[in-house]
Coordinates of all heavy atoms in Angstrom, one line a residue:
M10 N 104.9 113.6 92.4 CA 106.2 112.9 92.3 C 106.0 111.5 92.0 O 106.8 110.9 91.3 CB 107.0 113.1 93.6 CG 107.4 114.5 93.9 SD 108.6 114.7 95.1 CE 110.1 114.1 94.2
H11 N 104.9 110.9 92.5 CA 104.7 109.4 92.2 C 104.4 109.1 90.8 O 104.4 108.0 90.4 CB 103.6 108.9 93.2 CG 102.3 109.6 93.0 ND1 102.1 111.0 93.3 CD2 101.1 109.2 92.5 CE1 100.9 111.3 93.0 NE2 100.2 110.3 92.5
E12 N 104.0 110.2 90.0 CA 103.7 110.0 88.6 C 105.0 110.1 87.7 O 104.9 109.8 86.5 CB 102.6 111.0 88.1 CG 101.3 110.7 88.8 CD 100.2 111.7 88.4 OE1 100.5 112.6 87.7 OE2 99.1 111.4 88.9
V13 N 106.0 110.7 88.2 CA 107.2 110.9 87.4 C 108.5 110.2 88.0 O 109.5 110.1 87.3 CB 107.6 112.4 87.2 CG1 106.4 113.1 86.5 CG2 107.8 113.0 88.6
S14 N 108.4 109.6 89.2 CA 109.5 109.0 89.8 C 109.2 107.6 90.1 O 108.3 107.3 90.9 CB 109.9 109.8 91.1 OG 110.7 109.0 91.9
P15 N 110.0 106.6 89.6 CA 109.8 105.2 90.0 C 109.9 105.0 91.5 O 109.2 104.2 92.1 CB 110.9 104.5 89.3 CG 111.3 105.3 88.1 CD 111.1 106.8 88.6
T16 N 110.8 105.7 92.2 CA 110.9 105.6 93.6 C 109.7 106.0 94.3 O 109.2 105.3 95.2 CB 112.1 106.5 94.1 OG1 113.3 106.1 93.4 CG2 112.3 106.4 95.6
F17 N 109.1 107.1 93.9 CA 107.8 107.5 94.6 C 106.6 106.7 94.2 O 105.7 106.5 94.9 CB 107.6 109.0 94.4 CG 108.5 109.8 95.2 CD1 109.8 110.2 94.8 CD2 108.1 110.2 96.5 CE1 110.6 111.0 95.6 CE2 109.0 110.9 97.4 CZ 110.2 111.3 96.9
A18 N 106.7 106.1 93.0 CA 105.6 105.2 92.5 C 105.7 104.0 93.4 O 104.6 103.4 93.8 CB 105.8 104.8 91.1
E19 N 106.9 103.5 93.8 CA 107.0 102.4 94.7 C 106.5 102.7 96.1 O 105.9 101.9 96.7 CB 108.5 101.9 94.7 CG 108.8 100.8 95.7 CD 108.1 99.5 95.3 OE1 107.7 99.3 94.1 OE2 108.1 98.6 96.1
L20 N 106.8 103.9 96.5 CA 106.3 104.4 97.8 C 104.8 104.3 97.8 O 104.2 103.8 98.8 CB 106.9 105.8 98.2 CG 106.3 106.4 99.5 CD1 106.7 105.5 100.7 CD2 106.8 107.8 99.6
Q21 N 104.2 104.8 96.8 CA 102.8 104.8 96.6 C 102.2 103.4 96.7 O 101.3 103.1 97.4 CB 102.3 105.5 95.3 CG 100.8 105.4 95.1 CD 100.5 105.8 93.7 OE1 101.3 105.7 92.7 NE2 99.2 106.2 93.5
R22 N 102.9 102.5 96.0 CA 102.5 101.1 96.0 C 102.6 100.5 97.4 O 101.6 99.8 97.9 CB 103.3 100.3 95.1 CG 102.8 98.9 94.8 CD 103.8 98.0 94.0 NE 105.0 97.7 94.8 CZ 105.1 96.8 95.8 NH1 104.0 96.2 96.2 NH2 106.2 96.6 96.4
R23 N 103.6 100.8 98.1 CA 103.8 100.3 99.5 C 102.9 100.9 100.5 O 102.5 100.3 101.5 CB 105.3 100.5 99.9 CG 106.2 99.6 99.2 CD 107.6 99.8 99.7 NE 108.6 99.0 98.9 CZ 109.7 98.5 99.4 NH1 110.1 98.8 100.6 NH2 110.5 97.9 98.6
L24 N 102.5 102.1 100.3 CA 101.6 102.8 101.2 C 100.1 102.4 101.0 O 99.3 102.5 102.0 CB 101.6 104.3 101.0 CG 102.9 105.0 101.5 CD1 102.9 106.5 101.1 CD2 103.1 104.8 103.0
L25 N 99.8 101.8 99.9 CA 98.4 101.6 99.5 C 97.7 100.6 100.6 O 96.6 100.9 101.0 CB 98.3 101.0 98.1 CG 96.9 100.7 97.6 CD1 96.0 102.0 97.7 CD2 96.9 100.1 96.2
R26 N 98.4 99.6 101.0 CA 97.7 98.7 101.9 C 97.5 99.4 103.3 O 96.5 99.1 103.9 CB 98.5 97.4 102.1 CG 99.8 97.5 102.9 CD 100.5 96.1 102.9 NE 101.7 96.2 103.6 CZ 101.9 95.9 104.9 NH1 100.9 95.5 105.6 NH2 103.1 96.0 105.4
H27 N 98.4 100.3 103.6 CA 98.2 101.0 104.9 C 97.0 102.0 104.8 O 96.2 102.2 105.7 CB 99.5 101.7 105.3 CG 100.6 100.8 105.5 ND1 100.7 100.0 106.6 CD2 101.7 100.6 104.7 CE1 101.8 99.3 106.5 NE2 102.4 99.6 105.4
V28 N 96.9 102.6 103.6 CA 95.8 103.5 103.3 C 94.5 102.8 103.4 O 93.5 103.2 104.0 CB 96.0 104.2 102.0 CG1 94.7 105.0 101.6 CG2 97.2 105.2 102.0
R29 N 94.5 101.6 102.7 CA 93.2 100.8 102.7 C 92.9 100.4 104.1 O 91.7 100.4 104.5 CB 93.4 99.6 101.8 CG 93.4 100.0 100.4 CD 93.6 98.8 99.5 NE 93.4 99.1 98.1 CZ 94.0 98.4 97.1 NH1 94.8 97.3 97.4 NH2 93.8 98.8 95.9
S30 N 93.9 100.0 104.9 CA 93.6 99.5 106.3 C 93.1 100.7 107.1 O 92.2 100.5 107.9 CB 94.9 99.0 106.9 OG 94.8 98.7 108.2
F31 N 93.7 101.8 107.0 CA 93.3 103.0 107.7 C 91.8 103.4 107.4 O 91.0 103.6 108.2 CB 94.2 104.2 107.5 CG 93.9 105.4 108.3 CD1 94.0 105.4 109.7 CD2 93.6 106.6 107.7 CE1 93.7 106.5 110.5 CE2 93.3 107.7 108.5 CZ 93.4 107.7 109.9
A32 N 91.5 103.4 106.1 CA 90.2 103.7 105.6 C 89.2 102.7 106.2 O 88.1 103.1 106.6 CB 90.1 103.8 104.1
S33 N 89.6 101.5 106.2 CA 88.7 100.4 106.7 C 88.5 100.7 108.2 O 87.3 100.5 108.7 CB 89.4 99.1 106.5 OG 88.6 98.1 107.1
S34 N 89.5 101.0 109.0 CA 89.3 101.3 110.4 C 88.4 102.5 110.7 O 87.8 102.5 111.7 CB 90.7 101.5 111.1 OG 91.2 102.8 110.7
L35 N 88.3 103.4 109.7 CA 87.4 104.5 109.8 C 86.0 104.2 109.3 O 85.1 105.0 109.3 CB 88.0 105.7 109.1 CG 89.3 106.3 109.6 CD1 89.8 107.4 108.7 CD2 89.2 106.8 111.0
E36 N 85.9 102.9 108.8 CA 84.6 102.4 108.3 C 84.1 103.3 107.1 O 83.0 103.6 106.9 CB 83.5 102.4 109.3 CG 83.9 101.4 110.5 CD 82.9 101.3 111.6 OE1 81.8 102.0 111.5 OE2 83.1 100.5 112.5
F37 N 85.1 103.7 106.2 CA 84.8 104.4 105.0 C 84.0 103.4 104.1 O 84.4 102.2 104.0 CB 86.0 104.8 104.2 CG 86.7 106.0 104.8 CD1 86.3 106.6 105.9 CD2 87.7 106.6 104.0 CE1 86.9 107.8 106.4 CE2 88.4 107.7 104.5 CZ 88.0 108.3 105.7
D38 N 83.0 103.9 103.5 CA 82.2 103.1 102.5 C 82.9 103.3 101.1 O 82.7 104.3 100.4 CB 80.8 103.5 102.4 CG 80.0 102.7 101.4 OD1 80.5 101.7 100.8 OD2 78.8 103.1 101.1
L39 N 83.8 102.3 100.7 CA 84.5 102.5 99.5 C 84.0 101.5 98.4 O 84.7 101.2 97.5 CB 86.0 102.2 99.8 CG 86.7 103.3 100.7 CD1 88.1 102.9 100.9 CD2 86.6 104.7 100.0
A40 N 82.8 101.0 98.6 CA 82.2 100.1 97.6 C 82.2 100.8 96.3 O 81.7 101.9 96.1 CB 80.8 99.7 98.0
H41 N 82.8 100.2 95.3 CA 82.9 100.7 93.9 C 83.7 102.0 93.8 O 83.6 102.7 92.8 CB 81.5 100.9 93.3 CG 80.6 99.7 93.5 ND1 80.9 98.5 92.8 CD2 79.5 99.5 94.2 CE1 80.0 97.6 93.2 NE2 79.2 98.2 94.0
R42 N 84.5 102.3 94.8 CA 85.4 103.5 94.8 C 86.8 103.1 95.2 O 86.9 102.1 96.0 CB 84.8 104.6 95.7 CG 83.6 105.2 95.1 CD 83.1 106.2 96.0 NE 82.3 105.6 97.0 CZ 81.5 106.2 97.9 NH1 81.5 107.5 98.0 NH2 80.8 105.5 98.8
E43 N 87.7 103.8 94.8 CA 89.1 103.5 95.1 C 89.8 104.8 95.6 O 89.6 105.9 94.9 CB 89.8 103.0 93.9 CG 91.3 102.6 94.1 CD 91.5 101.3 94.9 OE1 90.6 100.5 94.9 OE2 92.6 101.2 95.5
L44 N 90.5 104.7 96.7 CA 91.3 105.9 97.1 C 92.6 105.9 96.2 O 93.2 104.9 96.0 CB 91.7 105.8 98.5 CG 90.6 105.9 99.5 CD1 91.0 105.6 100.9 CD2 90.0 107.3 99.5
T45 N 93.0 107.0 95.7 CA 94.2 107.2 94.9 C 95.0 108.3 95.4 O 94.5 109.3 95.9 CB 93.9 107.4 93.4 OG1 93.1 108.6 93.3 CG2 93.1 106.2 92.8
M46 N 96.3 108.2 95.3 CA 97.2 109.3 95.6 C 97.1 110.4 94.5 O 97.3 110.1 93.4 CB 98.6 108.8 95.8 CG 99.6 109.9 96.2 SD 101.3 109.3 96.3 CE 101.3 108.4 97.8
T47 N 96.8 111.6 95.0 CA 96.7 112.7 94.0 C 97.9 113.6 94.1 O 98.2 114.2 93.0 CB 95.4 113.5 94.2 OG1 95.3 113.9 95.6 CG2 94.2 112.6 93.9
D48 N 98.4 113.7 95.2 CA 99.6 114.6 95.4 C 100.6 114.0 96.2 O 100.3 113.2 97.2 CB 99.1 115.9 96.1 CG 98.2 116.7 95.3 OD1 98.5 117.1 94.1 OD2 97.1 117.0 95.8
C49 N 101.9 114.3 96.0 CA 103.0 113.8 96.8 C 104.1 114.8 96.6 O 104.5 115.2 95.5 CB 103.4 112.4 96.2 SG 104.8 111.7 97.1
W50 N 104.7 115.2 97.7 CA 105.8 116.1 97.6 C 106.8 115.8 98.8 O 106.5 115.0 99.6 CB 105.4 117.6 97.6 CG 104.6 118.0 98.8 CD1 105.2 118.5 100.0 CD2 103.2 117.9 99.1 NE1 104.2 118.7 100.9 CE2 103.0 118.4 100.4 CE3 102.2 117.4 98.3 CZ2 101.7 118.4 100.9 CZ3 100.9 117.5 98.8 CH2 100.7 118.0 100.1
V51 N 107.9 116.5 98.7 CA 109.0 116.3 99.7 C 109.3 117.5 100.5 O 109.3 118.6 99.9 CB 110.3 115.8 99.0 CG1 111.4 115.8 100.0 CG2 110.1 114.5 98.3
N52 N 109.4 117.4 101.8 CA 109.9 118.5 102.6 C 111.1 118.0 103.3 O 111.2 116.9 103.8 CB 108.9 118.8 103.7 CG 107.6 119.5 103.2 OD1 107.7 120.2 102.2 ND2 106.5 119.3 103.9
I53 N 112.2 118.8 103.3 CA 113.4 118.4 104.0 C 113.5 119.4 105.1 O 113.6 120.6 104.9 CB 114.6 118.5 103.1 CG1 114.5 117.5 101.9 CG2 115.9 118.3 103.9 CD1 115.6 117.6 100.9
M54 N 113.4 118.9 106.3 CA 113.3 119.7 107.5 C 114.5 119.6 108.4 O 115.0 118.5 108.6 CB 112.0 119.3 108.3 CG 110.8 119.5 107.5 SD 109.3 118.6 108.2 CE 109.1 119.4 109.7
P55 N 115.0 120.7 108.8 CA 116.2 120.7 109.7 C 115.8 120.2 111.1 O 114.7 120.0 111.4 CB 116.6 122.2 109.8 CG 115.4 122.9 109.5 CD 114.6 122.1 108.6
R56 N 116.8 119.9 111.9 CA 116.6 119.4 113.2 C 115.8 120.4 114.0 O 115.8 121.6 113.8 CB 118.0 119.2 114.0 CG 118.8 118.0 113.5 CD 120.1 117.9 114.2 NE 120.8 116.7 113.9 CZ 120.6 115.6 114.5 NH1 119.8 115.5 115.6 NH2 121.2 114.5 114.1
Q57 N 115.0 119.8 115.0 CA 114.2 120.6 115.9 C 113.0 121.3 115.2 O 112.4 122.1 115.8 CB 115.0 121.6 116.7 CG 116.3 121.1 117.4 CD 115.9 120.0 118.4 OE1 115.0 120.2 119.2 NE2 116.7 118.9 118.4
V58 N 112.7 120.9 114.0 CA 111.5 121.4 113.3 C 110.5 120.3 113.3 O 110.8 119.2 113.1 CB 111.9 121.8 111.9 CG1 110.6 122.2 111.1 CG2 112.9 123.0 111.9
V59 N 109.2 120.7 113.6 CA 108.1 119.7 113.6 C 107.1 120.0 112.5 O 107.0 121.1 112.0 CB 107.4 119.7 115.0 CG1 108.4 119.3 116.0 CG2 106.8 121.1 115.3
H60 N 106.5 119.0 112.1 CA 105.4 119.1 111.1 C 104.1 119.1 111.9 O 103.6 118.1 112.4 CB 105.4 117.8 110.2 CG 104.6 118.0 109.0 ND1 105.2 118.5 107.8 CD2 103.3 117.7 108.7 CE1 104.2 118.5 106.9 NE2 103.1 118.0 107.4
T61 N 103.6 120.3 112.0 CA 102.4 120.5 112.9 C 101.1 120.0 112.2 O 101.0 119.9 111.0 CB 102.2 122.0 113.3 OG1 102.1 122.7 112.1 CG2 103.5 122.5 114.1
L62 N 100.1 119.8 113.1 CA 98.8 119.4 112.6 C 98.2 120.4 111.7 O 98.3 121.6 112.0 CB 97.9 119.2 113.8 CG 96.5 118.7 113.5 CD1 96.5 117.3 112.9 CD2 95.6 118.7 114.8
H63 N 97.8 120.0 110.5 CA 97.1 120.9 109.6 C 96.2 120.2 108.7 O 96.1 118.9 108.8 CB 98.2 121.6 108.7 CG 99.1 120.7 108.0 ND1 100.1 120.1 108.5 CD2 99.0 120.3 106.7 CE1 100.7 119.3 107.6 NE2 100.0 119.4 106.5
L64 N 95.4 120.8 107.9 CA 94.4 120.2 107.1 C 94.8 120.3 105.6 O 95.4 121.2 105.1 CB 93.1 120.9 107.3 CG 92.5 120.9 108.7 CD1 91.3 121.8 108.7 CD2 92.2 119.5 109.1
H65 N 94.3 119.3 104.9 CA 94.3 119.3 103.4 C 92.8 119.2 103.0 O 92.3 118.1 102.8 CB 95.1 118.1 102.9 CG 96.6 118.2 103.2 ND1 97.5 118.5 102.2 CD2 97.2 118.0 104.3 CE1 98.7 118.5 102.7 NE2 98.6 118.2 104.0
P66 N 92.2 120.4 102.8 CA 90.7 120.4 102.7 C 90.2 119.6 101.5 O 89.0 119.1 101.6 CB 90.4 121.9 102.5 CG 91.6 122.6 103.1 CD 92.8 121.7 102.9
L67 N 90.9 119.4 100.5 CA 90.4 118.7 99.3 C 90.8 117.2 99.3 O 90.5 116.5 98.3 CB 90.8 119.4 98.0 CG 90.4 120.8 97.9 CD1 90.9 121.4 96.6 CD2 88.9 120.9 97.9
S68 N 91.4 116.7 100.4 CA 91.8 115.3 100.4 C 90.9 114.5 101.4 O 90.5 115.0 102.4 CB 93.2 115.3 101.0 OG 94.1 115.9 100.1
T69 N 90.7 113.3 101.0 CA 90.0 112.4 101.9 C 90.9 111.9 103.0 O 90.5 111.9 104.1 CB 89.5 111.2 101.0 OG1 88.7 111.6 100.0 CG2 88.7 110.2 101.9
L70 N 92.1 111.6 102.7 CA 93.1 111.3 103.6 C 94.4 112.0 103.3 O 94.7 112.2 102.1 CB 93.4 109.7 103.6 CG 92.3 108.8 104.0 CD1 92.8 107.3 103.8 CD2 92.0 109.0 105.5
S71 N 95.2 112.3 104.3 CA 96.5 112.8 104.0 C 97.4 112.3 105.1 O 96.9 112.0 106.2 CB 96.5 114.3 103.9 OG 96.1 114.9 105.1
G72 N 98.7 112.3 104.9 CA 99.6 111.8 105.9 C 101.0 112.2 105.6 O 101.3 112.8 104.5
T73 N 101.9 111.8 106.5 CA 103.3 112.1 106.3 C 104.1 110.9 106.4 O 103.9 110.1 107.4 CB 103.8 113.2 107.4 OG1 103.0 114.3 107.3 CG2 105.3 113.5 107.2
Y74 N 105.0 110.6 105.5 CA 105.9 109.5 105.6 C 107.3 110.1 106.0 O 107.9 110.9 105.2 CB 106.0 108.8 104.3 CG 107.0 107.7 104.3 CD1 106.7 106.4 104.8 CD2 108.3 107.8 103.7 CE1 107.6 105.4 104.8 CE2 109.2 106.8 103.7 CZ 108.8 105.6 104.3 OH 109.8 104.6 104.3
Y75 N 107.8 109.6 107.1 CA 109.1 110.1 107.6 C 110.2 109.1 107.1 O 110.1 107.9 107.5 CB 109.1 110.2 109.1 CG 108.3 111.3 109.6 CD1 106.9 111.2 109.9 CD2 108.8 112.6 109.8 CE1 106.2 112.2 110.4 CE2 108.0 113.7 110.2 CZ 106.7 113.4 110.6 OH 105.9 114.5 111.0
V76 N 111.1 109.6 106.3 CA 112.1 108.7 105.8 C 113.1 108.4 107.0 O 113.6 107.3 107.1 CB 112.9 109.3 104.6 CG1 114.1 108.5 104.2 CG2 111.9 109.5 103.5
K77 N 113.4 109.5 107.7 CA 114.4 109.3 108.8 C 113.9 110.3 110.0 O 113.6 111.4 109.7 CB 115.8 109.7 108.3 CG 116.9 109.5 109.4 CD 118.2 109.9 108.7 CE 119.3 109.7 109.7 NZ 120.6 110.0 109.2
T78 N 114.0 109.7 111.2 CA 113.6 110.5 112.3 C 114.8 110.4 113.3 O 115.5 109.5 113.3 CB 112.3 110.0 113.0 OG1 112.5 108.6 113.3 CG2 111.1 110.2 112.1
P79 N 114.9 111.4 114.2 CA 115.9 111.4 115.2 C 115.7 110.2 116.2 O 114.6 109.8 116.4 CB 115.8 112.7 116.0 CG 114.9 113.6 115.1 CD 114.0 112.7 114.3
K80 N 116.8 109.7 116.7 CA 116.8 108.7 117.7 C 116.0 109.1 118.9 O 116.1 110.2 119.3 CB 118.2 108.3 118.1 CG 118.3 107.0 118.9 CD 119.8 106.6 119.1 CE 119.8 105.3 119.9 NZ 121.1 104.8 120.0
G81 N 115.1 108.2 119.4 CA 114.3 108.6 120.5 C 113.0 109.3 120.1 O 112.2 109.7 121.0
C82 N 112.8 109.6 118.9 CA 111.6 110.3 118.4 C 110.4 109.4 118.7 O 110.4 108.2 118.4 CB 111.7 110.6 116.9 SG 110.4 111.4 116.2
P83 N 109.3 110.0 119.3 CA 108.1 109.2 119.5 C 107.5 108.7 118.2 O 107.6 109.4 117.2 CB 107.2 110.1 120.3 CG 107.7 111.5 120.0 CD 109.2 111.4 119.7
R84 N 106.9 107.6 118.2 CA 106.3 107.1 117.0 C 104.8 107.0 117.2 O 104.3 107.0 118.3 CB 106.8 105.7 116.6 CG 107.0 104.7 117.7 CD 107.7 103.5 117.2 NE 106.9 102.8 116.3 CZ 107.1 101.5 115.9 NH1 108.0 100.9 116.4 NH2 106.3 101.0 115.0
S85 N 104.1 107.1 116.1 CA 102.7 107.1 116.1 C 102.2 106.0 115.2 O 102.7 105.8 114.1 CB 102.1 108.4 115.6 OG 100.8 108.4 115.4
E86 N 101.3 105.2 115.7 CA 100.8 104.1 114.9 C 99.3 104.2 114.8 O 98.7 104.6 115.8 CB 101.2 102.7 115.6 CG 102.7 102.5 115.6 CD 103.1 101.2 116.1 OE1 102.3 100.2 115.9 OE2 104.1 101.1 116.8
V87 N 98.8 103.8 113.7 CA 97.4 103.8 113.5 C 96.8 102.4 113.6 O 97.4 101.4 113.2 CB 97.0 104.4 112.1 CG1 95.6 104.3 111.9 CG2 97.6 105.8 112.0
Ligands
FE2_118 FE1 100.4 118.3 104.9

């Protein structure tokens, strides 16, 4: 989506510093390498549905950006 939508391209741009910071905290050796977003998609989930822990085997990093969460929802910070 980030390759065809200016909105998602902007999201990619805004996430980049967080991705770099997270990779740095994990002490990734990124000398002469750059992390890039390869996939991006949207899930619309009804109330009381959770996004459970899972793997993206071909990804170095993966994550979820929540546009809107219910009031009182716990937050996670890296
Ligand atoms: Fe996922």
Side-chain angles (χ1 to χ4, degrees):
M10 295 194 73
H11 60 293
E12 294 178 354
V13 297
S14 163
T16 300
F17 284 90
E19 177 65 15
L20 176 62
Q21 176 190 23
R22 189 189 69 73
R23 291 185 184 205
L24 290 174
L25 184 57
R26 73 182 176 95
H27 300 286
V28 170
R29 287 178 175 155
S30 174
F31 185 64
S33 176
S34 74
L35 296 175
E36 300 181 358
F37 282 8
D38 178 7
L39 295 176
H41 310 293
R42 288 177 277 189
E43 180 75 22
L44 291 173
T45 59
M46 183 183 284
T47 55
D48 296 302
C49 178
W50 61 91
V51 173
N52 289 331
I53 300 174
M54 300 164 62
R56 288 181 173 270
Q57 307 299 318
V58 173
V59 297
H60 193 91
T61 59
L62 183 65
H63 59 277
L64 299 173
H65 292 254
L67 300 178
S68 298
T69 302
L70 294 175
S71 61
T73 302
Y74 176 80
Y75 291 89
V76 175
K77 185 177 181 183
T78 57
K80 191 172 185 173
C82 181
R84 42 188 296 196
S85 173
E86 296 183 34
V87 178

